[in-house]
């Protein structure tokens, strides 16, 4: 089973464990349900702002955008004859597979499904593509016949399968998979490990090729089909790569002999070695990150400096493809594809919160919660941005509007003790114009993630001291504190609009789920039961829905290929207030969390 956490662990803060989702996604293909109003949700994501594909000479010179577009385009590769390029694009909503001629003409969409389609590669004869898709509930390897449009799931396993590579004879697919992952959990986030497998293109004769119990990924066949090169890394090294603190890491390249599975490690030096690519002359190229990112060649050829993601060369060695991010403005504010058009999605900064009138949006100004954050305010359409509040020493994290729109509450201090040392934070409030800072707690614990009662008189929050942990309620006027729960894993509380319930994340049955409880501590109820972790729950303004982030759909790519992203998985979901009718709204390879609802009055 593929399990994961969902947190924006750097961007956000929690945990969510992931597993393949086997339920109905409730995709709505046409129109909106006229019996219900439209909803709008903002949320944060670890995905790129805008990846574009570039085509260049083989040495990286004369790089030019292939098909520039405001949406993400990525993971491109050539057909064997060099006439076509296959790639992933989100230009029409969800991630789908496209092909285009190398001169940018003849663009053709090959897949059209609301699920995640990615990592496509041509068969040697150019008549088929292999790609990864989540349309069966998790990441599987599919074969698509271009002429007939026939689609075949060749792996069909509840774990995640990634990065397919064709053998030169077109009979086999090598791929990585987390089906054997032990997934140790030293912190909130889960780490999947991956192994290399091969399988015939009809789905038969599957063979495990590595026994590392760590990371083996991005396989690439030698031109004679006798060997497979891949990167391998210890679990902690990939953890170092994923941290937002950008810790240095080391991976190595290894080669397997297909005939007997014997393995030889062919590199020894430090640094990341990712995306290995084999050339006809036996040279292997790979990507490295670190202080000077670029592409390194094993034959001593001069390295290419710069950011190159998923490089691919034409079979004649004359051209190369890669993608890189071309936008850097933060925080973002733009619409994203939703699997259910009743729920419009907006990508925003970290920890967004709409004002009750729908006039303003506040969020944190940095890309991750672990950084030193200020509170940014903007109009509800993302315009007219300014810093509303900040402190030179303490971080102002997870701001939220009061129901009367006159106050803003937030965590105020230092957080993320696992990475930054002892966490000491308070619950603080300011006026809506950023003035009159008032601290409500005692400065002796790790307090954060506030949520207001509907009358604006109380705040529920997460608290932890040396002796007590759980959820607490503070009276804003008197500063009297009442303990709500005693579980150390309770987090991210949210008060319902009518005040009768508080939703929160708790770990009581082996993983993190969404619960509700009355403000007096009675009537505890578990709402989610999926083996994947859930977190960041928040009520819709009418109290009919709860939005949350979930790891139920599993990993959709190798973790090592997503540097500075603590947990590359997790989707935005909604469910009815009683836990029924779960709908997964996003479906991609990035972590997404901390949703916020816009007022229904504004939407109307």
């Amino acid at each position: 089973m593929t399990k994961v956490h969902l947190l924006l662990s750097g961007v956000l803060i929690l945990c969510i464990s992931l597993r393949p989702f086997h339920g109905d996604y409730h995709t709505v293909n046409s129109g909106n349900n006229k019996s219900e109003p439209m909803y709008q949700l903002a949320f944060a994501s670890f995905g790129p702002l805008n990846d574009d594909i570039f085509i260049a000479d083989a040495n990286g010179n004369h790089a030019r955008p292939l098909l520039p577009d405001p949406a993400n385009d990525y993971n491109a590769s050539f057909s064997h004859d060099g006439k076509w390029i296959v790639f992933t694009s989100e230009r029409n909503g969800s991630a789908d597979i496209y092909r285009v001629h190398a001169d940018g003409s003849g663009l053709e969409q090959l897949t059209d499904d609301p699920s995640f389609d990615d990592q496509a590669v041509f068969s040697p004869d150019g008549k088929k593509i292999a790609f990864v898709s989540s349309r069966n509930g998790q990441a599987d390897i599919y074969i698509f016949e271009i002429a007939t449009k026939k689609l075949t799931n060749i792996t069909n396993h509840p774990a995640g399968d990634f990065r397919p590579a064709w053998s030169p004879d077109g009979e086999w697919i090598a791929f990585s998979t987390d089906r054997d992952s032990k997934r140790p959990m030293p912190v909130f986030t889960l780490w999947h490990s991956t192994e290399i497998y091969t399988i015939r293109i009809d789905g038969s004769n599957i063979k495990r090729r590595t026994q590392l119990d760590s990371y083996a990924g991005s396989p690439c066949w030698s031109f004679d089909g006798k060997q497979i090169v891949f990167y391998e890394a210890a679990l902690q090294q990939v953890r170092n790569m994923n941290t937002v603190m950008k810790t240095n890491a080391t991976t190595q390249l290894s080669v397997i002999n297909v005939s007997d599975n014997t393995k030889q490690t062919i590199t020894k030096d430090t640094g990341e070695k990712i995306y290995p690519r084999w050339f006809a002359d036996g040279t292997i190229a790979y990507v490295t990150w670190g202080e000077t990112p670029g592409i390194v060649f094993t034959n001593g050829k001069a390295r290419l400096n710069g950011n190159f993601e998923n490089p691919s060369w034409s079979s004649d060695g004359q051209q190369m493809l890669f993608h890189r991010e071309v936008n850097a403005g933060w925080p973002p504010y733009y619409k994203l594809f939703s699997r259910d058009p009743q729920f419009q999605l907006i990508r925003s900064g970290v920890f967004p919160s709409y004002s009750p009138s729908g006039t303003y949006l506040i969020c944190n100004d940095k890309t991750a919660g672990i950084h030193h954050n200020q509170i940014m305010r903007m109009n509800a359409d993302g315009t007219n941005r300014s810093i509303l509040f900040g402190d030179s020493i303490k971080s102002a994290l997870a701001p939220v509007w009061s129901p009367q729109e006159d106050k803003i509450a937030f965590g105020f201090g230092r957080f993320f003790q696992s990475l930054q040392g002892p966490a000491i934070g308070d619950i603080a409030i300011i006026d809506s114009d950023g003035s009159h800072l008032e601290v409500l707690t005692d400065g002796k614990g790790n307090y954060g993630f506030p949520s207001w009662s509907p009358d604006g008189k109380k705040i529920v929050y997460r608290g932890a001291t040396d002796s007590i942990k759980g959820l607490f309620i503070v009276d804003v006027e008197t500063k009297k504190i009442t303990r709500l729960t005693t579980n150390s894993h309770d987090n991210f509380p949210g008060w319902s609009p009518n005040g009768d319930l508080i939703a929160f994340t708790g770990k009581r049955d082996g993983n993190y789920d969404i619960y509700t409880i009355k403000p007096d501590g009675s009537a505890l109820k578990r709402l989610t039961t999926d083996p994947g972790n859930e977190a960041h729950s928040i009520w819709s303004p009418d109290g009919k829905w709860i939005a949350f982030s979930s790891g139920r759909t599993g990993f959709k790519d190798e973790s090592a290929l997503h540097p500075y992203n603590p947990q590359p998985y997790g989707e935005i979901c909604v469910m009815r207030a009683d836990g029924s009718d779960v709908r997964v709204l996003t479906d991609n390879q990035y972590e997404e969390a901390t949703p916020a609802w816009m007022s229904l009055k504004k939407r109307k």
Side-chain angles (χ1 to χ4, degrees):
M1 300 290 286
T2 303
K3 301 217 175 185
V4 185
H5 273 229
L6 173 77
L7 142 109
L8 262 177
S9 42
V11 175
L12 309 182
I13 322 175
L14 171 68
C15 41
I16 290 189
S17 190
L18 71 229
R19 80 150 184 100
F21 178 59
H22 297 290
D24 184 356
Y25 278 112
H26 293 276
T27 301
V28 179
N29 292 318
S30 62
N32 297 312
N33 188 336
K34 299 302 183 180
S35 65
E36 295 181 282
M38 279 284 291
Y39 297 87
Q40 180 168 299
L41 283 161
F43 64 94
S45 172
F46 259 121
L49 296 177
N50 182 18
D51 275 344
D52 270 348
I53 295 166
F54 291 79
I55 186 167
D57 298 343
N59 60 2
N61 290 336
H62 305 111
R64 60 196 184 279
L66 178 65
L67 288 171
D69 192 274
N72 285 320
D73 293 335
Y74 46 92
N75 288 336
S77 60
F78 287 100
S79 61
H80 184 73
D81 61 10
K83 294 181 178 179
W84 289 97
I85 293 168
V86 67
F87 65 99
T88 304
S89 179
E90 299 169 11
R91 60 187 59 208
N92 285 325
S94 60
D96 284 302
I97 307 301
Y98 293 71
R99 70 171 180 171
V100 69
H101 290 301
D103 62 2
S105 66
L107 179 65
E108 179 182 358
Q109 185 171 348
L110 298 181
T111 68
D112 184 10
D113 191 277
S115 298
F116 171 76
D117 295 340
D118 186 28
Q119 302 160 45
V121 285
F122 279 107
S123 60
D125 62 8
K127 296 180 179 180
K128 305 179 183 71
I129 60 170
F131 68 101
V132 170
S133 179
S134 65
R135 63 188 66 200
N136 199 40
Q138 68 282 326
D140 283 319
I141 307 295
Y142 286 74
I143 302 293
F144 177 79
E145 297 181 11
I146 296 174
T148 65
K149 311 299 183 185
K150 179 181 177 182
L151 187 67
T152 305
N153 184 345
I154 64 170
T155 55
N156 197 22
H157 190 278
D161 302 320
F162 324 108
R163 297 288 161 175
W166 290 87
S167 62
D169 62 7
E171 296 297 319
W172 294 86
I173 298 289
F175 64 98
S176 61
T177 178
D178 62 13
R179 63 187 63 197
D180 307 296
S181 180
K182 303 299 189 296
R183 296 181 183 84
M185 188 175 64
V187 292
F188 282 130
T189 55
L190 288 176
W191 310 349
H192 74 164
S193 60
T194 55
E195 305 285 353
I196 303 300
Y197 277 66
T198 57
I199 190 172
R200 286 196 176 275
I201 61 171
D202 63 1
S204 65
N205 203 11
I206 189 167
K207 295 182 180 181
R208 181 175 177 177
R209 296 293 184 172
T210 61
Q211 306 280 339
L212 300 182
D213 291 330
S214 55
Y215 283 92
S218 297
C220 179
W221 296 80
S222 61
F223 272 59
D224 61 9
K226 295 181 179 180
Q227 295 179 306
I228 297 172
V229 64
F230 61 96
Y231 72 83
E232 63 172 284
L235 294 172
Q236 183 58 50
Q237 294 300 316
V238 173
R239 178 66 179 168
N240 290 346
M241 293 161 64
N242 289 155
T243 177
V244 295
M245 304 306 288
K246 301 186 179 181
T247 306
N248 291 332
T250 294
T251 72
Q252 303 297 351
L253 300 185
S254 294
V255 170
I256 299 171
N257 291 314
V258 175
S259 61
D260 59 7
N261 272 10
T262 55
K263 180 176 77 76
Q264 177 185 5
T265 301
I266 61 173
T267 58
K268 297 180 180 179
D269 55 322
T270 60
E272 305 93 351
K273 304 165 194 68
I274 302 295
Y275 297 121
R277 299 290 184 261
W278 222 317
F279 292 85
D281 64 359
T283 299
I284 295 173
Y286 61 87
V287 170
T288 186
W289 291 312
E291 295 182 2
T292 307
I295 296 176
V296 178
F297 299 88
T298 58
N299 65 353
K301 179 181 176 181
R303 66 175 286 157
L304 310 180
N305 290 328
N307 293 313
F308 300 91
E309 295 294 331
N310 193 45
S312 172
W313 282 265
S314 57
S315 58
D316 63 7
Q318 298 300 304
Q319 291 183 300
M320 70 176 295
L321 295 164
F322 60 90
H323 68 264
R324 63 170 54 136
E325 191 166 11
V326 295
N327 288 354
W330 190 269
Y333 192 92
Y334 54 82
K335 292 181 181 179
L336 285 180
F337 173 76
S338 173
R339 295 176 61 96
D340 186 337
Q342 290 187 64
F343 301 90
Q344 184 181 91
L345 298 180
I346 299 290
R347 181 178 179 181
S348 71
V350 179
F351 293 109
S353 175
Y354 284 105
S355 61
S357 67
T359 304
Y360 297 110
L361 176 77
I362 54 174
C363 63
N364 283 129
D365 65 323
K366 300 299 191 300
T367 57
I370 195 171
H371 299 310
H372 183 269
N373 276 277
Q374 303 177 100
I375 299 173
M376 177 177 282
R377 186 180 70 178
M378 63 188 76
N379 294 336
D381 61 1
T383 61
N384 196 24
R385 303 175 177 205
S386 62
I387 297 299
L388 182 68
F389 175 84
D391 183 86
S392 61
I393 298 175
K394 297 180 179 181
S395 183
L397 193 64
V400 59
W401 289 94
S402 67
Q404 292 72 33
E405 205 166 318
D406 60 336
K407 302 283 184 180
I408 294 170
F410 54 95
F412 189 46
R414 183 176 70 182
F415 305 95
F416 292 92
Q417 64 269 21
S418 64
L419 295 174
Q420 294 188 329
I424 300 176
D426 283 296
I427 300 301
I429 59 174
I430 53 175
D431 289 346
S432 60
D433 62 1
S435 64
H436 297 101
L437 172 68
E438 183 179 1
V439 177
L440 302 181
T441 48
D442 59 14
K444 298 179 181 179
N446 180 4
Y447 309 124
F449 311 113
S451 175
W452 295 84
S453 61
D455 60 10
K457 294 181 178 180
K458 296 179 180 180
I459 293 173
V460 62
Y461 61 94
R462 185 282 318 277
T465 67
D466 290 340
S467 57
I468 58 174
K469 297 177 177 65
L471 301 181
F472 299 82
I473 296 175
V474 59
D475 186 288
V476 174
E477 182 177 354
T478 67
K479 299 185 181 180
K480 180 182 177 181
I481 294 174
T482 303
R483 191 170 185 181
L484 179 62
T485 71
T486 59
N487 191 301
S488 64
H489 294 285
D490 292 345
N491 209 340
F492 302 104
W495 224 307
S496 64
N498 63 9
D500 63 332
L501 291 172
I502 293 170
F504 67 96
T505 297
K507 186 181 180 183
R508 286 167 168 77
D509 298 285
N511 58 283
Y512 290 87
D513 284 296
I514 307 300
Y515 292 79
T516 56
I517 193 171
K518 290 186 176 181
D520 64 4
S522 65
L524 178 69
K525 180 182 179 181
R526 182 183 179 186
L527 297 188
T528 60
T529 58
D530 191 279
N533 285 354
E534 344 289 346
H536 303 141
S537 57
I538 184 168
W539 299 81
S540 62
D542 59 7
K544 294 181 179 180
W545 297 89
I546 295 175
F548 61 100
S549 49
S550 176
R552 63 183 58 206
T553 63
F555 286 95
K556 299 181 181 74
D557 202 356
E558 301 163 0
S559 291
L561 303 184
H562 296 268
Y564 321 133
N565 185 346
Q567 49 182 71
Y569 56 81
E571 309 297 350
I572 299 297
C573 304
V574 295
M575 62 182 170
R576 300 286 182 176
D578 62 0
S580 64
D581 193 14
V582 176
R583 307 186 186 190
V584 182
L585 304 184
T586 62
D587 189 4
N588 57 57
Q589 68 276 47
Y590 309 113
E591 181 186 4
E592 295 169 335
T594 66
W597 298 86
M598 175 178 272
S599 167
L600 290 175
K601 292 182 291 185
K602 181 67 175 180
R603 288 296 302 154
K604 292 177 180 179

